[in-house]
Amino acid sequence: AQTVTQSQPEMSVQEAETVTLSCTYDTSESDYYLFWYKQPPSRQMILVIRQEAYKQQNATENRFSVNFQKAAKSFSLKISDSQLGDAAMYFCAYSTYYGGSQGNLIFGKGTKLSVKP
Amino acid sequence: NAGVTQTPKFRILKIGQSMTLQCTQDMNHNYMYWYRQDPGMGLKLIYYSVGAGITDKGEVPNGYNVSRSTTEDFPLRLELAAPSQTSVYFCASSLRDSKDSPLHFGNGTRLTVT
């Protein structure tokens, strides 16, 4: 069975600094998708970034980038120039099928990120 | 531009009571999903639907039922509420099951069963 592990329950970063959130996963599949979701106190789930396993190039979305190491089954999220609005719970998720109609999104337990002014 | 709308936002139930969590989307999405989020955990899939009239179980379906009579609506039914069903429930939708079709989430319903 696929599992997703986030080993950092909480992280803290100074405003304008860079922080990296860790995620590891376990799967026997070769084709899958990985995601980072942000959940602010409003509870809304917001897609931050996604990575397709067959792509070697790391995904980037503005200040957010990932370090995808397929052999190591590692998928970390780097937030550059951290802003106060980045404070939230961050969830790493795995899916064999994007959206999850055949499989489903397997979530980690989350990392709570605090941003200090 | 409403997106995915869930009602109610909060609800307290007594053990054994029944209720329906409503979910509607106005984006004409084919795929809809129900997830639950327990305290300190990520989301787990309860049920999903790939179109009107078609539903299937996810990872944690016990104690729940769903129906999909229209493209827009995907209600989740709890027949005999139990304390183990205390959770935050999220509805989501996507246009297709493809990499170019991201999940759109509602704002969640916080349910407490006492």
Side-chain angles (χ1 to χ4, degrees):
Chain A
Q2 296 91 356
T3 58
V4 176
T5 302
Q6 294 178 248
S7 59
Q8 306 154 316
E10 296 186 26
M11 292 283 285
S12 181
V13 64
Q14 205 71 32
E15 195 176 6
E17 297 291 307
T18 296
V19 64
T20 298
L21 308 184
S22 300
C23 173
T24 59
Y25 59 95
D26 188 24
T27 183
S28 58
E29 303 285 339
S30 59
D31 190 15
Y32 50 87
Y33 301 95
L34 296 164
F35 310 85
W36 279 99
Y37 279 89
K38 172 185 178 182
Q39 187 179 42
S42 66
R43 288 202 312 241
Q44 180 73 32
M45 293 291 288
I46 303 166
L47 177 65
V48 175
I49 199 165
R50 63 184 184 226
Q51 175 80 41
E52 295 153 19
Y54 70 87
K55 287 188 176 180
Q56 294 185 346
Q57 186 175 6
N58 289 325
T60 300
E61 290 285 346
N62 300 315
R63 297 182 296 108
F64 299 88
S65 61
V66 299
N67 183 5
F68 173 49
Q69 301 290 328
K70 190 173 185 179
K73 297 179 181 176
S74 171
F75 183 60
S76 61
L77 174 70
K78 186 172 80 172
I79 306 174
S80 304
D81 186 25
S82 296
Q83 301 175 359
L84 295 177
D86 294 334
M89 284 290 288
Y90 285 82
F91 292 97
C92 178
Y94 163 101
S95 176
T96 304
Y97 290 83
Y98 188 92
S101 68
Q102 291 293 323
N104 66 83
L105 283 175
I106 309 295
F107 283 84
K109 292 184 177 181
T111 296
K112 184 177 181 180
L113 178 66
S114 301
V115 180
K116 298 179 180 178
Chain B
N1 191 7
V4 178
T5 302
Q6 290 183 237
T7 56
K9 293 183 180 179
F10 304 95
R11 183 72 185 268
I12 298 174
L13 280 182
K14 294 187 184 301
I15 295 172
Q17 285 185 321
S18 301
M19 79 162 294
T20 299
L21 281 66
Q22 301 292 344
C23 175
T24 187
Q25 51 90 10
D26 61 358
M27 298 172 283
N28 201 31
H29 284 176
N30 293 317
Y31 295 83
M32 296 188 74
Y33 315 82
W34 275 105
Y35 290 88
R36 60 178 286 173
Q37 183 181 26
D38 297 331
M41 304 291 286
L43 281 65
K44 293 187 176 181
L45 184 66
I46 306 171
Y47 270 96
Y48 65 91
S49 169
V50 301
I54 305 170
T55 64
D56 208 345
K57 297 177 181 179
E59 183 182 358
V60 289
N62 291 344
Y64 307 94
N65 282 298
V66 293
S67 60
R68 185 94 181 272
S69 57
T70 66
T71 299
E72 295 79 18
D73 301 307
F74 190 41
L76 178 71
R77 178 82 177 164
L78 283 72
E79 290 294 348
L80 293 171
S84 61
Q85 293 176 305
T86 293
S87 191
V88 178
Y89 292 83
F90 287 94
C91 180
S93 72
S94 63
L95 180 60
R96 297 177 295 273
D97 181 23
S98 76
K99 62 180 181 179
D100 297 319
S101 185
L103 283 179
H104 296 257
F105 283 88
N107 286 335
T109 295
R110 182 178 294 277
L111 176 67
T112 302
V113 182
T114 61

